[in-house]
Amino acid sequence: MKIRAAVLRQSPVLPPFAANRPLSIEELDLDPPGREEVLVRIGAAGLCHSDLSVINGDRPRPMPMALGHEASGVVEAVGPGVHDLVPGDHVVMSFVPSCGHCLACAEGRPALCVPGAEANGRGVLLSGERRLICDEVPVNHHLGVSGFATHAVVSRHSAIKVDRDLPLAEAALFGCAVLTGVGAVVNTCKVQPGQSVAVVGLGGVGLAAVLGALASGAERVIAVDLAPEKLEVALKLGATDVFLAGDVDVIEKIREATGGGVDHALEMAGSTRAFDLAYRITRRGGTTATAGLANPVSQFAIPAVSLVAEQRRVLGSYLGGCVPSRDIPRFIGLYRRGKLPVDRLLSSTGPLEEINEAFDLLHEGKVIRHVITFD
């Protein structure tokens, strides 16, 4: 079938994206779903810094590639071996397809699925196939989703069934921003009621982490960012304290305000400077976690003695340490009960044709989550 998709043909491309046009809206051929695959009509797809990092070269990927990994849609067809989804079902896509058989999956850690990671790195589906073609030349899939398109073929293991009455623009947020941010709080850090949490970096994932900390019963939720307007958003969402990351005394101010540091500090900016700040505001015996994807060449030095003498924990969090088939429905349930108002992260929506302009807004920090919507 013929589809329209946003295709990146070279990287890196630097802003302004409205002028440099890294993404071209192209007509592609989409092959039908193979075994254990589904055809999804995309309803909404959110712009994320993980997409931006492919465009600017921070996350090298094979080209050409149809971008987009945070998406929701409606199943239109299923391939052989798919018995638990039918046309008309609404789904949210997970950007790590889990095979269910490798050691990581057997341990209940599908975010670390080895075949899934290998497929994502190669730009193929979990089956090893590419279903996107342009002029008889294969086009690579982005994290098994390629959601900036009218339709996508994805692995059955990438699609999580959700309620049909959940608006697709809101549902899309659960595929990355909520899964990663809230998951880092509840799965990676295991925040307990009454504890203190700091979130450094207030993009969509970071603000989702703020909401997750509040939903977990944290007594102090501290938001840290370079942009004053992001701090205002965090306060409106319920953060108890905000600090400007560019303040030369910010570390001392946070440590003083919290009596020596927070129980959990989460770095969500993809920056080693942000991670250093998060580490320094973590109390003795506390946890510093990062879900920010820094440039692969970035290095971070930790005083080795502090890990021992202060019994510190440093953790990485990918996909929020989530089991998507378990956690997406749980997080949606919290949203429906008013405990996790993730709809407030949705800054704006727009058509596929304006995607380059939308990435400028994301790069400039003018939106939390801009979502591409399809009629």
Side-chain angles (χ1 to χ4, degrees), residues 28-195:
L28 304 182
D29 290 304
L30 180 64
D31 286 343
R35 183 167 186 83
E36 294 191 345
E37 294 175 352
V38 297
L39 170 65
V40 179
R41 174 174 56 82
I42 302 297
L47 274 62
C48 176
H49 276 86
S50 294
D51 305 305
L52 187 58
S53 66
V54 178
I55 297 172
N56 66 22
D58 282 347
R59 304 293 294 174
R61 296 289 179 183
M63 298 289 128
M65 175 170 280
L67 281 193
H69 69 284
E70 181 185 83
S72 62
V74 181
V75 174
E76 287 202 340
V78 301
V82 178
H83 305 294
D84 52 351
L85 287 176
V86 298
D89 282 343
H90 287 209
V91 292
V92 169
M93 265 66 81
S94 165
F95 60 87
V96 179
S98 55
C99 72
H101 306 295
C102 69
L103 179 60
C105 288
E107 291 177 336
R109 306 173 76 188
L112 301 181
C113 176
V114 175
E118 291 176 348
N120 282 354
R122 292 171 52 209
V124 300
L125 299 180
L126 189 60
S127 62
E129 300 293 334
R130 294 178 179 85
R131 304 297 181 196
L132 294 166
I133 303 167
C134 182
D135 296 330
E136 300 184 358
V137 177
V139 175
N140 293 289
H141 297 263
H142 184 212
L143 300 179
V145 179
S146 292
F148 297 146
T150 56
H151 295 77
V153 167
V154 303
S155 168
R156 168 64 189 90
H157 304 287
S158 294
I160 311 302
K161 184 177 177 180
V162 299
D163 294 338
R164 296 188 185 190
D165 62 344
L166 180 66
L168 289 173
E170 297 171 13
L173 303 178
F174 289 87
C176 178
V178 178
L179 202 63
T180 302
V182 179
V185 171
V186 301
N187 293 323
T188 304
C189 291
K190 296 180 172 57
V191 172
Q192 300 296 309
Q195 290 187 316

Side-chain angles (χ1 to χ4, degrees), residues 9 13 15 49 96 112 126 177 202 223 228-229 252 274 279 282 300 308 321 325 328 331 354 365:
R9 292 197 168 271
V13 180
H49 276 86
V96 179
L112 301 181
L126 189 60
L202 302 177
E229 56 270 23
E252 290 74 16
Y279 187 80
T282 306
F300 176 69
V308 178
S325 60
I328 288 178
F331 296 161
E354 297 176 4

Side-chain angles (χ1 to χ4, degrees), residues 293-319:
L293 288 171
N295 188 293
V297 302
S298 298
Q299 301 289 323
F300 176 69
I302 297 176
V305 67
S306 68
L307 290 175
V308 178
E310 298 179 8
Q311 293 190 41
R312 302 281 286 276
R313 295 197 311 155
V314 177
L315 301 172
S317 182
Y318 192 55
L319 197 74

